Amino acid sequence: MSSTAPAQHIVVIGGGILGASTSMHLARGGAQVTLVTAGLLANGASGRSIAWLNSSGARSAEYHYLRMLAIDRYRTWSSHHPESSSYIRFDGALKWAGPGESFRDTFAFERSTGYHSLWLDRADVPRVAPDVNAQAVAEEGAIYNPGEGWVNMPDFIPALAAEATASGATIIEDAGDVRVDVQDGSAVGVILGDGTRLAADRVVLATGGEVPAQLAALGVTVPDATPAAFVLFTDPVDFEVKTVLNTPRVAVRPTPDGRLVLDADWAEQSVIVEDDGSFTIPEESVQGLLNEASKVLAGNPRLTAQKVGAGLKPIPGDGEPVVGPVPAIAGLHTVFTHSGATLGLILGELLAEEVLTGNPSPVLKSFRLDRFDTSSATPETVGTGAWAPVSQA
């Protein structure tokens, strides 16, 4: 008669791409998993992401490698889930430099790493990307990355959650302000917003831009560059857009239902954080994004706004992921990163394997919390995420 050790009970806090992915991989690995999230699945940063799948531009070799693994996992998911072809697409991406700038060095760097990167002159743009207004492209030309694409998180996260529950995971939505329950220096579970305690052998904190504040409440500092930000969803358009665009004044990607998602750094900087932590989006920023998107699309179509999603955009202090154990608190693991859309599948997989086996992943060696000297760092976070009507002033 054989016997096996009881499955670890692991609670994952966070209903975005990272929490859902980690939960799925933990459940597949045999753990008893409970995912808890303050609101509904995908209603945080993941649901208001441009969700561009890429390893574009210059970055460290370790980070580029991680992102290439990440894109590979999306291709694998797509091959095993034919229904995902509507919400995971690899139709290529185009980017070009702003006035007084050049992307020639960026192109050379990408080529030097073996990244699939092609240089297009303006005249070549209509052949490769007929949905783009070639006259809006920089005079020097543009970089086309055929292997890049996008994912629509409001479709993908429920698919991950469904696979997690099929493997035995439990999902608790609308759990309120969930806190890690720490006793004698160890994470022993979580406390839900109504005071209910859930015991656990290990806890994973995957709450996006809220991670630094939640760790700070436990006496752990994470250098944080998280800004307030927003994305704009247009009304459905009557023309086909396939190419992801990352241009000097606007980023554009399509959605499965024929809308466009827009954002830009200059628009992000216009977000007003109110005293109560809510976010106000100036109407001129909304209209500005619509105008800029029209300029870069073929035919300069008239675009109208359906809604904006405002909230925190998770970015660690040095821009690279923070993944793995929290050294000061036994049994607590965290994942905090920018580009959660690109990294969601791979980080969930690698973190789950570490939690289940106790064996550190060499791929994650450069992305540990203890790489920071946090003795003098002060995390700064504001507000909570929200959807707002486009008429909000």
Side-chain angles (χ1 to χ4, degrees):
M1 182 175 178
S2 62
S3 63
T4 58
Q8 294 185 64
H9 182 206
I10 301 166
V11 175
V12 179
I13 309 174
I17 176 61
L18 294 165
S21 173
T22 304
S23 295
M24 182 192 72
H25 285 102
L26 285 169
R28 282 179 172 178
Q32 179 188 348
V33 179
T34 303
L35 185 155
V36 296
T37 182
L40 301 177
L41 292 173
N43 75 341
S46 293
R48 53 177 186 268
S49 168
I50 199 75
W52 169 32
L53 303 177
N54 75 93
S55 188
S56 179
R59 57 188 79 249
S60 69
E62 294 83 0
Y63 194 20
H64 176 65
Y65 179 67
L66 177 66
R67 294 175 75 98
M68 295 304 293
L69 292 178
I71 293 171
D72 170 74
R73 294 307 193 272
Y74 273 102
R75 295 188 182 279
T76 301
W77 179 277
S78 296
S79 70
H80 289 277
H81 297 80
E83 74 283 358
S84 70
S85 62
S86 66
Y87 61 82
I88 299 174
R89 301 290 304 179
F90 287 99
D91 294 319
L94 195 69
K95 60 180 179 279
W96 60 84
E101 300 176 335
S102 173
F103 269 5
R104 287 290 186 179
D105 287 346
T106 299
F107 175 66
F109 179 87
E110 290 184 356
R111 294 294 300 176
S112 73
T113 66
Y115 196 58
H116 198 179
S117 184
L118 307 174
W119 188 266
L120 298 183
D121 293 328
R122 268 182 176 173
D124 296 326
V125 169
R127 173 180 57 82
V128 174
D131 48 352
V132 177
N133 175 17
Q135 294 307 306
V137 173
E139 186 175 353
E140 71 168 357
I143 297 173
Y144 179 63
N145 301 113
E148 294 181 354
W150 55 270
V151 56
N152 200 60
M153 288 298 175
D155 294 306
F156 186 45
I157 290 172
L160 293 173
E163 295 225 355
T165 55
S167 296
T170 299
I171 296 177
I172 303 175
E173 297 180 279
D174 293 319
D177 180 19
V178 181
R179 294 173 290 134
V180 182
D181 189 3
V182 176
Q183 304 291 334
D184 298 324
S186 297
V188 297
V190 301
I191 306 171
L192 306 186
D194 64 2
T196 300
R197 277 183 152 84
L198 298 181
D201 298 302
R202 296 181 183 275
V203 176
V204 176
L205 184 63
T207 52
E210 303 293 343
V211 165
Q214 290 170 318
L215 286 180
L218 301 174
V220 178
T221 299
V222 181
D224 185 22
T226 296
F230 79 98
V231 298
L232 170 62
F233 287 79
T234 72
D235 290 311
V237 297
D238 59 2
F239 54 91
E240 186 175 35
V241 175
K242 287 187 173 182
T243 313
V244 177
L245 300 179
N246 188 18
T247 81
R249 293 286 296 173
V250 66
V252 182
R253 67 107 167 150
T255 70
D257 59 1
R259 297 178 295 158
L260 302 175
V261 188
L262 315 177
D263 78 355
D265 289 342
W266 63 265
E268 171 184 300
Q269 293 166 13
S270 74
V271 176
I272 300 167
V273 182
E274 305 293 356
D275 291 341
D276 63 359
S278 64
F279 302 92
T280 296
I281 312 304
E283 180 60 33
E284 55 266 30
S285 297
V286 171
Q287 191 57 49
L289 278 179
L290 294 171
N291 294 342
E292 295 294 345
S294 176
K295 291 176 185 177
V296 301
L297 294 172
N300 304 131
R302 181 177 179 273
L303 304 175
T304 55
Q306 184 182 78
K307 64 180 180 180
V308 297
L312 300 179
K313 181 164 75 173
I315 304 179
D318 63 358
E320 297 202 346
V322 177
V323 191
V326 176
I329 302 173
L332 179 60
H333 305 256
T334 193
V335 53
F336 170 48
T337 187
H338 186 40
S339 298
T342 296
L343 298 173
L345 275 175
I346 189 63
L347 288 185
E349 175 188 332
L350 296 178
L351 180 57
E353 185 174 6
E354 286 192 339
V355 172
L356 291 170
T357 68
N359 298 322
S361 168
V363 177
L364 298 179
K365 182 179 179 180
S366 299
F367 308 114
R368 303 304 188 186
L369 175 59
D370 60 7
R371 72 179 183 268
F372 297 109
D373 175 9
T374 60
S375 58
S376 60
T378 303
E380 296 179 358
T381 59
V382 291
T384 57
W387 289 108
V390 297
S391 59
Q392 181 174 352

